[in-house]
Amino acid sequence: MKLLALLSLLALMLQEARTASLPKTEKEREGDQPHGEGDSYAVLHPGDYVLSPDSYDQVIDLSNYDELTDYRDQLPKVKGTSLASPTRTSFTQSTSAPRTPPSNPTMARPTTRGLLLSLTSHGLPTCLICVCLGSSVYCDDADLENIPPVPQTTAYLYARFNRISHIRTGDFKGLTKLKRIDLSSNFISSIDDDALLLLPALQDLILPENKLAALPVLPTGIEVLDIRLNQLQSSGIQPEAFRALEKLQFFYLADNLLDSIPRSLPLSLRSLHLQNNMIETMQRDTFCDAERHKHTQRQLEDIRLDGNPINLSLFPSAYFCLPRLPTGRFT
């Protein structure tokens, strides 16, 4: 019995000696390292973590997938059969084939009416190359060769500094609310007679710095007519062209080729500029009708005839009914 106990004790001592001589395993070496709050190698054993009400908010509930963002739908979809690597593209960039850039880096603007009409027929906005602000449309310096289509609610149209050479019938069709047309600094040489007749609300027609040699039939509601710096001749004005313009107040004809003062001017006229023309003479009833309006004082207070070869002192009976004498040469 004592021998058996001695042998058991000897076997136990040999086992402990053998265990002490063996190297520690990787897990045992990690277990020997102290666990600290800032230690990046610290291992958290599930058995050491105790769930308590104080630490409950640290538990992440992975069952709530609504908070997770899935970016797979934002990845570009590349279609094709080629084994070549796809071109890197932005998430927001279209995956369609890129357009071939034009040879001219400058963006080309449509300059013909046909092109504009074909675009608007597909339901696109009418302000393609113009700036539309309320009832005002600005088409200045846009290399236009024709009047562009504009909304029918347009009241003020500005198309200055372009290449418009002719105003055709139908260019202003349907623009019944149009009050002002400003086509300064173009190349307009002709206007169809009925191009402006269907504009009942037109008040201001501004056409300086063009190449007009004749005037079309004008709407009766015009109040301001500016045709300075053109090539207008007296033969291009119909004899009774202005008699029906009962609202015309400001008439600017300076720097043209007129050889006479227009006849049948309306009584509403307040300002008439005719300087720098070729006027040499005038009729007795140019401003005053001795038979019908002998004692009528007209509102025409501003008449400019300076820069003409006419001697105003030779025609004193031509403006006896005016509130003041014209500006010009009296000697």
Side-chain angles (χ1 to χ4, degrees):
M1 191 69 177
K2 293 182 180 180
L3 180 59
L4 182 59
L6 183 60
L7 290 175
S8 300
L9 181 60
L10 181 60
L12 181 61
M13 293 176 62
L14 290 175
Q15 182 66 27
E16 291 179 357
R18 182 180 179 183
T19 303
S21 61
L22 291 176
K24 293 184 178 181
T25 62
E26 185 69 19
K27 292 184 178 180
E28 290 175 341
R29 287 197 299 270
E30 292 177 357
D32 291 343
Q33 296 180 1
H35 299 300
E37 183 178 357
D39 191 358
S40 60
Y41 295 96
V43 178
L44 179 63
H45 296 283
D48 297 337
Y49 190 85
V50 179
L51 183 63
S52 64
D54 297 335
S55 61
Y56 184 78
D57 57 348
Q58 301 177 10
V59 180
I60 301 176
D61 185 9
L62 296 179
S63 64
N64 187 8
Y65 291 99
D66 295 336
E67 297 180 359
L68 301 179
T69 304
D70 188 3
Y71 293 97
R72 289 177 297 175
D73 296 337
Q74 301 183 20
L75 295 176
K77 298 179 181 180
V78 181
K79 297 182 180 180
T81 57
S82 176
L83 298 179
S85 301
T87 304
R88 181 178 298 177
T89 178
S90 173
F91 289 148
T92 58
Q93 183 179 356
S94 174
T95 58
S96 59
R99 298 178 180 178
T100 304
S103 57
N104 187 359
T106 304
M107 182 178 295
R109 307 177 188 174
T111 57
T112 62
R113 181 173 174 82
L115 177 59
L116 290 174
L117 287 176
S118 64
L119 292 175
T120 56
S121 63
H122 289 80
L124 296 178
T126 53
C127 293
L128 298 175
I129 57 176
C130 305
V131 178
C132 297
L133 298 175
S135 60
S136 299
V137 178
Y138 298 89
C139 306
D140 295 340
D141 196 14
D143 291 334
L144 296 177
E145 295 180 0
N146 297 288
I147 301 295
V150 297
Q152 293 188 354
T153 57
T154 302
Y156 305 93
L157 174 61
Y158 300 88
R160 299 165 292 192
F161 312 106
N162 285 288
R163 300 180 180 180
I164 301 172
S165 59
H166 180 63
I167 297 180
R168 301 171 175 83
T169 302
D171 281 348
F172 303 109
K173 184 179 180 180
L175 302 180
T176 58
K177 297 182 180 181
L178 195 57
K179 296 181 180 180
R180 182 182 181 91
I181 299 176
D182 192 341
L183 299 174
S184 305
S185 302
N186 277 274
F187 298 89
I188 302 173
S189 58
S190 60
I191 302 176
D192 290 349
D193 278 339
D194 52 353
L196 303 173
L197 284 180
L198 299 179
L199 300 176
L202 188 62
Q203 298 176 355
D204 303 341
L205 181 59
I206 314 299
L207 298 170
E209 296 189 72
N210 280 281
K211 297 183 178 181
L212 284 172
L215 291 181
V217 180
L218 300 171
T220 58
I222 286 184
E223 299 179 6
V224 179
L225 184 57
D226 189 350
I227 318 177
R228 293 173 293 117
L229 296 165
N230 276 267
Q231 300 175 5
L232 188 61
Q233 302 178 10
S234 296
S235 58
I237 301 177
Q238 300 179 10
E240 303 293 327
F242 310 114
R243 182 179 293 276
L245 306 183
E246 298 180 354
K247 297 182 179 181
L248 183 61
Q249 299 184 39
F250 304 94
F251 195 7
Y252 304 122
L253 292 166
D255 298 283
N256 277 281
L257 302 176
L258 300 174
D259 55 12
S260 63
I261 299 175
R263 304 291 302 274
S264 303
L265 296 173
L267 296 177
S268 59
L269 198 61
R270 298 175 54 186
S271 180
L272 176 64
H273 287 189
L274 293 164
Q275 63 268 36
N276 302 323
N277 276 278
M278 304 170 60
I279 300 173
E280 297 182 358
T281 185
M282 71 171 65
Q283 301 297 323
R284 295 183 55 184
D285 58 350
T286 299
F287 300 113
C288 303
D289 190 340
E291 296 180 359
R292 300 178 55 187
H293 303 287
K294 183 176 181 180
H295 303 290
T296 301
Q297 298 292 330
R298 295 199 177 193
Q299 303 181 31
L300 189 53
E301 298 181 351
D302 179 24
I303 302 177
R304 292 195 56 180
L305 286 166
D306 47 308
N308 285 276
I310 187 173
N311 185 354
L312 296 178
S313 61
L314 301 178
F315 310 95
S317 60
Y319 29 79
F320 70 90
C321 64
L322 299 177
R324 64 183 61 182
L325 293 176
T327 300
R329 184 171 64 91
F330 283 90
T331 58

